[in-house]
Amino acid sequence: MGENYSLHEQHINQTLVNVQRTIGFDKVYVRAEGAYLFDAEGNDYLDFLSGYSVYNLGRNHPVIKKALHDVLDMDLPNMVQLDCSLLSGLLAEALVAITPPQLQAVFFCNSGTEAVEGAIKFARAATGRARIVSLEGSYHGLSLGSLSITGTTSFTEGFGPLLADVGLVKMGDLDVLESLLKVGDVAAFIVEPVQGKGVKYPKDDYFQQAQALCRKYGALFICDEIQTGLGRTGKMFAFEHWNLEPDIITIAKSLSGGYVPCGAIMTSREIYQKTFSRLDRCVVHSTTFGRNNLAMACGLATLSVLRDEQIVRNTEAVGGYLGQRLAVMTGRHPFVKEVRIKGLMCAIEFQEPADLAMKMAWKFLHTIDRGLFSQMIVTPLLSRHRVLAMVAGHNMDVIKILPPLTIGKREVDRFVDGLDDVLGHARKVHGPMWELGRNFVSKALKSRKRRTNVPAGAGA
Ligand code: PMP
């Protein structure tokens, strides 16, 4: 213990270690429980990142842990492959019970990006068309198919050529979407109902209309619920906010219970069968570890905790309280532009302030990197208040939180009071926070000379 960062520096991702040291995130955590991480001295850190929404139920949840122990102790047959295992059948049944009636058939895989890859293939097989249309600013994963439809260029640079048959549209622009759909070669339009990068969502019925256009032109409508699903936004699935009826949804992250990776694609029986269309195609899309018992047990335990602890209701209630407390920040701090929140998926966007000294400091930072101000907020949140939050994406003045859905007012108060304090210090342009900002600038400039890229933060 304590060799963590040097081991990674030697054998894993040196650049990431460099970034973590630069931004002061090089902590050594030794224990975790619920919404808290602990260091060797016993200090508690409020985890408002939840492993990027893996820990919707908090860390080391006793029910998930017990389910894993039970399954291990049962010495079950596992991954026989040429059988039908019970636990995967049970998890599929449980997932079908919490989704709309058109989603009856489940495919299990191991990660978010794998679920998206499968959804692309299912859509192509079902429609006989090639093109996948997605939204600007979207994030669907980093394997080549998912990356090809990810609308965030900072992830695609250097990895081309990607899939050719794609299309990118602006959220809200129905005309461009329709012009693409009209051509007749679009297999699917895929959206995150609430975009992870920046926490963006339409304020009107854009999704409803987009879905109607998909129906009109024979394209499938896919909702990527990998981050938003299973309660995150105060509904079981985020598409429920707009009463959508997706043809396919993708799930991952928190279905794992935070223990064993688990992803799923859900669709109609009709669409599903277009992929597995003949006896010789019965495993034409498959993955070795897809239905393994430990992952299935985690999924089953997760769904039962969601129900028994009324997690979705808590998310809506605590998210409401968080929203109320953050709303006050907009008037109180000149840097705060907007708060965007759905359930416990929340972003705070910053803006250039009117005050001359603050404006100059802001401009200086932004000539170097648009993400540095957000990092300047997130770093003291951790160092001064022991609250773990993240920058919301590359090149944006936005911070983001994804707290466990089990939190209460106490955790919300600690975060909001911490943020209030940090934003108060941000007004002192000769104070330690802007010193930190200047430090980031010099590190970023040095790193560019070495032709390595220091991102604004370690947020995925
Ligand atoms: N889609 C969305 C909406 C996501 O948020 C993510 C993960 N951040 C992915 C896909 C990719 O998931 P994974 O990292 O498990 O491949």
Side-chain angles (χ1 to χ4, degrees):
M1 190 57 80
E3 287 181 34
N4 312 35
Y5 291 87
S6 60
L7 283 170
H8 278 244
E9 196 166 35
Q10 284 174 67
H11 306 297
I12 306 183
N13 185 343
Q14 288 183 347
T15 317
L16 180 59
V17 172
N18 190 359
V19 168
Q20 282 165 342
R21 286 189 172 139
T22 303
I23 65 178
F25 273 43
D26 51 342
K27 305 273 178 218
V28 177
Y29 303 107
V30 298
R31 195 172 72 78
E33 188 180 336
Y36 295 92
L37 298 158
F38 298 88
D39 64 18
E41 283 78 48
N43 296 310
D44 66 348
Y45 294 78
L46 185 57
D47 175 17
F48 264 29
L49 220 141
S50 302
Y52 304 137
S53 204
V54 168
Y55 292 97
N56 283 10
L57 306 181
R59 289 173 186 269
N60 295 318
H61 194 289
V63 173
I64 320 281
K65 208 154 66 172
K66 171 89 168 51
L68 283 172
H69 280 295
D70 287 352
V71 168
L72 284 172
D73 289 343
M74 285 162 89
D75 287 333
L76 292 173
N78 194 11
M79 293 183 280
V80 177
Q81 311 294 9
L82 294 176
D83 75 335
C84 286
S85 69
L86 180 61
L87 291 183
S88 52
L90 289 173
L91 180 56
E93 183 184 52
L95 282 170
V96 167
I98 57 165
T99 42
Q102 80 273 14
L103 305 172
Q104 308 137 354
V106 186
F107 179 89
F108 287 113
C109 53
N110 309 284
S111 70
T113 197
E114 212 187 314
V116 172
E117 294 286 343
I120 294 172
K121 286 174 71 182
F122 280 24
R124 282 184 161 187
T127 59
R129 299 172 174 188
R131 193 172 303 280
I132 307 291
V133 177
S134 59
L135 286 175
E136 284 180 12
S138 59
Y139 184 93
H140 296 292
L142 300 183
S143 54
L144 276 180
S146 308
L147 186 63
S148 304
I149 58 169
T150 282
T152 310
T153 46
S154 50
F155 288 103
T156 51
E157 190 192 329
F159 298 115
L162 303 175
L163 282 187
D165 297 308
V166 296
L168 213 53
V169 296
K170 254 196 179 48
M171 188 190 287
D173 192 336
L174 289 162
D175 293 340
V176 173
L177 177 64
E178 183 161 17
S179 69
L180 288 177
L181 289 168
K182 247 185 198 159
V183 178
D185 66 347
V186 176
F189 176 44
I190 182 168
V191 303
E192 302 154 85
V194 180
Q195 265 182 4
K197 301 287 163 218
V199 185
K200 293 185 183 143
Y201 48 87
K203 304 235 159 43
D204 53 18
D205 64 351
Y206 166 72
F207 282 146
Q208 278 278 357
Q209 297 211 40
Q211 178 182 272
L213 285 175
C214 289
R215 301 274 189 270
K216 181 171 169 193
Y217 294 104
L220 302 183
F221 181 57
I222 305 176
C223 287
D224 179 345
E225 292 272 0
I226 288 163
Q227 189 164 140
T228 51
L230 305 182
R232 168 59 56 195
T233 68
K235 303 263 186 204
M236 186 58 86
F237 293 100
F239 65 73
E240 294 169 27
H241 289 289
W242 294 274
N243 298 315
L244 302 172
E245 292 173 351
D247 300 294
I248 302 178
I249 66 169
T250 51
I251 315 171
K253 291 194 189 269
S254 68
L255 189 61
S256 68
Y259 282 101
V260 186
C262 186
I265 305 167
M266 297 188 67
T267 186
S268 67
R269 175 54 65 197
E270 191 191 348
I271 290 170
Y272 199 93
Q273 289 311 121
K274 293 270 171 54
T275 288
F276 303 101
S277 54
R278 297 187 310 260
L279 295 186
D280 63 310
R281 284 175 64 89
C282 66
V283 285
V284 72
H285 187 67
S286 62
T287 175
T288 304
F289 295 109
R291 288 160 293 169
N292 75 82
N293 284 338
L294 292 181
M296 300 297 102
C298 284
L300 278 163
T302 297
L303 296 188
S304 85
V305 173
L306 276 173
R307 186 192 54 226
D308 296 347
E309 296 185 14
Q310 305 201 336
I311 297 290
V312 181
R313 193 187 291 176
N314 187 64
T315 307
E316 199 192 3
V318 178
Y321 176 67
L322 173 66
Q324 277 168 19
R325 286 224 51 197
L326 285 175
V328 179
M329 295 282 185
T330 326
R332 204 169 137 81
H333 294 289
F335 286 111
V336 177
K337 180 181 178 189
E338 187 184 39
V339 173
R340 291 188 290 274
I341 180 164
K342 281 263 183 236
L344 283 170
M345 185 164 178
C346 175
I348 297 142
E349 179 155 2
F350 303 111
Q351 62 186 355
E352 186 178 299
D355 172 88
L356 191 62
M358 284 194 268
K359 193 197 267 291
M360 297 308 287
W362 170 277
K363 278 192 190 302
F364 167 69
L365 216 58
H366 283 71
T367 52
I368 307 301
D369 190 314
R370 269 205 64 196
L372 289 181
F373 183 79
S374 328
Q375 195 58 61
M376 218 179 85
I377 300 297
V378 161
T379 290
L381 256 181
L382 184 64
S383 60
R384 293 164 61 89
H385 300 281
R386 299 197 310 277
V387 174
L388 196 55
M390 67 192 280
V391 302
H394 288 89
N395 286 323
M396 48 171 87
D397 292 306
V398 187
I399 66 165
K400 176 178 170 188
I401 52 165
L402 294 165
L405 310 182
T406 49
I407 59 164
K409 285 188 175 175
R410 190 165 75 104
E411 283 77 21
V412 168
D413 287 341
R414 176 162 162 186
F415 166 71
V416 177
D417 293 344
L419 183 64
D420 193 32
D421 170 70
V422 166
L423 287 170
H425 278 84
R427 290 188 206 190
K428 299 174 195 150
V429 290
H430 299 296
M433 270 190 64
W434 287 93
E435 184 57 43
L436 180 72
R438 281 188 286 277
N439 190 18
F440 286 158
V441 166
S442 76
K443 289 259 170 69
L445 287 174
K446 254 190 227 153
S447 146
R448 275 178 205 175
K449 271 193 205 135
R450 290 202 307 269
R451 296 186 60 81
T452 52
N453 183 28
V454 169

